[in-house]
């Protein structure tokens, strides 16, 4: 046996494994990973957790109109609606504009110019406007609020000339109509109203006309009396001249 097994070779041979690193050829897609093997997919499907379905509320069986009905009962909307109603009740001039595409900076500049003339630019949603004017005498203005809009309030109805002068420089604001002293006016009627004189000027013209009529009537009534007085005055002066002439002649004699 000694001659069969060489002495230079060990009895137990150890083998050292060789490691070789290989790079994956394809690029791993994280968003769309490769589907797992069929057996693994079955295991994943079986081990998938299942949660009980939450019970459905009563609102899930309501219609869209019934679900949105509660939005009208919003306390904040009621506060804003009362504010709109207060503006309508205490404003002698209300102008409604259709608002086209406009930047916030331009709206701010227009609001500042209007505020200097005691004109207040406001903007509200159509639901709030409807809630504010429903069942009131202002309900006729509701069809003007189907699109983007803005409202201008003023306690002085004579500011309509300044309003038209300022908004004429802003083509994005289109005048639709307004309310002047609780009277609904169209765009043409508002422009015609702006060309009318102020209330004080109209009152002064009326007083002047009445005074002229009264003075003319008094003048006509006193015409005959004045003529009679003038005739008597001339006659009296003629008599005085005759008497003075007689006196002079007597003195000479």
């Amino acid at each position: 046996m000694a001659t069969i097994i060489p002495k230079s070779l060990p009895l137990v041979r150890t083998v050292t494994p060789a490691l070789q690193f290989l790079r994956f050829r394809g690029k791993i897609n994280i968003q769309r990973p490769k589907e797992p093997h069929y057996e693994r997919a079955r295991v994943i499907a079986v081990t998938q957790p299942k949660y009980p379905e939450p019970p459905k509320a009563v609102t899930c069986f309501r219609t869209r109109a019934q679900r949105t009905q509660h939005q009208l009962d919003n306390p904040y909307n009621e506060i804003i609606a009362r504010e709109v109603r207060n503006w309508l009740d205490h404003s002698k001039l209300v102008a409604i504009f259709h608002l086209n595409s406009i930047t916030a900076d331009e709206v701010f500049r227009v609001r500042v110019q209007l505020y200097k003339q005691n004109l207040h630019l406001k903007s509200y949603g159509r639901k709030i406007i409807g809630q504010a004017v429903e069942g009131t005498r202002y309900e006729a203005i509701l069809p003007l609020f189907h699109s983007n809009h803005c409202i201008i309030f003023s306690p002085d109805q004579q500011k309509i000339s300044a309003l038209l002068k300022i908004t004429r420089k802003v083509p994005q604001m289109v005048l639709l109509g307004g309310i002047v002293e609780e009277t609904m006016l169209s765009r043409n009627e508002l422009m015609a109203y702006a060309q009318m004189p102020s209330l004080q000027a109209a009152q002064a013209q009326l007083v002047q006309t009445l005074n002229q009529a009264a003075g003319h009537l008094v003048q006509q009534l006193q015409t005959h009396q004045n003529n009679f007085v003038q005739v008597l005055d001339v006659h009296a002066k003629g008599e005085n001249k005759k008497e003075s002439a007689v006196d002079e002649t007597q003195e000479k004699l």
Side-chain angles (χ1 to χ4, degrees):
M1 292 295 293
T3 58
I4 297 174
I5 301 173
K7 296 181 180 180
S8 60
L9 296 176
L11 297 178
V12 180
R13 184 177 297 179
T14 59
V15 179
T16 303
L19 301 178
Q20 184 178 1
F21 297 94
L22 296 177
R23 184 177 180 183
F24 188 74
R25 293 182 180 179
K27 189 175 181 180
I28 300 175
N29 191 348
I30 301 176
Q31 297 180 354
R32 295 181 180 179
K34 185 178 179 181
E35 296 182 0
H37 189 264
Y38 175 73
E39 296 295 337
R40 185 176 180 180
R42 290 176 62 185
V43 174
I44 293 175
V46 171
T47 57
Q48 191 73 18
K50 294 183 179 180
Y51 301 100
E53 185 178 357
K56 295 183 179 180
V58 181
T59 56
C60 297
F61 301 97
R62 295 180 180 177
T63 61
R64 181 180 179 85
Q66 294 175 348
R67 291 197 303 268
T68 57
Q69 186 68 25
H70 68 281
Q71 296 180 1
L72 300 177
D73 300 333
N74 192 337
Y76 181 72
N77 290 346
E78 294 179 358
I79 295 173
I80 302 300
R82 287 198 300 268
E83 178 184 349
V84 176
R85 179 67 181 277
N86 184 49
W87 277 110
L88 291 172
D89 290 337
H90 295 85
S91 297
K92 295 183 179 180
L93 171 61
V94 179
I96 304 171
F97 289 83
H98 171 74
L99 194 62
N100 291 322
S101 180
I102 186 172
T103 61
D105 294 337
E106 293 176 346
V107 174
F108 178 76
R109 286 194 292 268
V110 174
R111 179 177 280 113
V112 172
Q113 295 177 4
L114 293 172
Y115 185 80
K116 291 179 180 179
Q117 299 294 332
N118 199 15
L119 298 166
H120 306 276
L121 177 63
K122 303 291 182 179
S123 180
Y124 304 98
R126 187 176 184 276
K127 292 184 179 180
I128 294 178
I129 296 294
Q131 188 175 355
V133 304
E134 184 178 3
T136 63
R137 61 179 182 272
Y138 306 109
E139 197 169 2
I141 67 174
L142 190 59
L144 301 178
F145 295 92
H146 281 288
S147 58
N148 193 16
H149 63 274
C150 61
I151 316 174
I152 297 178
F153 301 96
S154 177
D156 187 4
Q157 72 273 14
Q158 302 300 331
K159 294 293 183 178
I160 185 171
S161 300
L163 170 65
L164 296 177
K165 183 178 179 181
I166 295 173
T167 56
R168 192 179 295 114
K169 302 177 183 178
V170 187
Q172 295 88 344
M173 297 176 63
V174 181
L175 180 62
L176 299 178
I179 303 174
V180 178
E181 294 184 350
E182 300 182 359
T183 303
M184 184 70 180
L185 301 179
S186 63
R187 178 179 179 274
N188 296 332
E189 291 174 344
L190 285 174
M191 297 181 69
Y193 183 84
Q195 297 176 359
M196 296 175 60
S198 62
L199 181 60
Q200 291 78 10
Q203 290 175 350
Q205 293 177 0
L206 177 61
V207 171
Q208 183 179 2
T209 303
L210 295 176
N211 290 334
Q212 288 179 355
H216 184 65
L217 178 61
V218 172
Q219 184 179 0
Q220 288 181 349
L221 293 174
Q222 294 178 352
T223 300
H224 299 289
Q225 298 176 1
N226 294 332
N227 294 335
F228 184 69
V229 170
Q230 290 178 0
V231 171
L232 292 177
D233 190 15
V234 171
H235 182 71
K237 289 181 180 179
E239 293 293 334
N240 292 331
K241 288 182 180 180
K242 290 180 179 179
E243 291 178 358
S244 60
V246 171
D247 294 337
E248 289 178 357
T249 55
Q250 289 179 357
E251 290 177 358
K252 289 180 180 181
L253 294 176

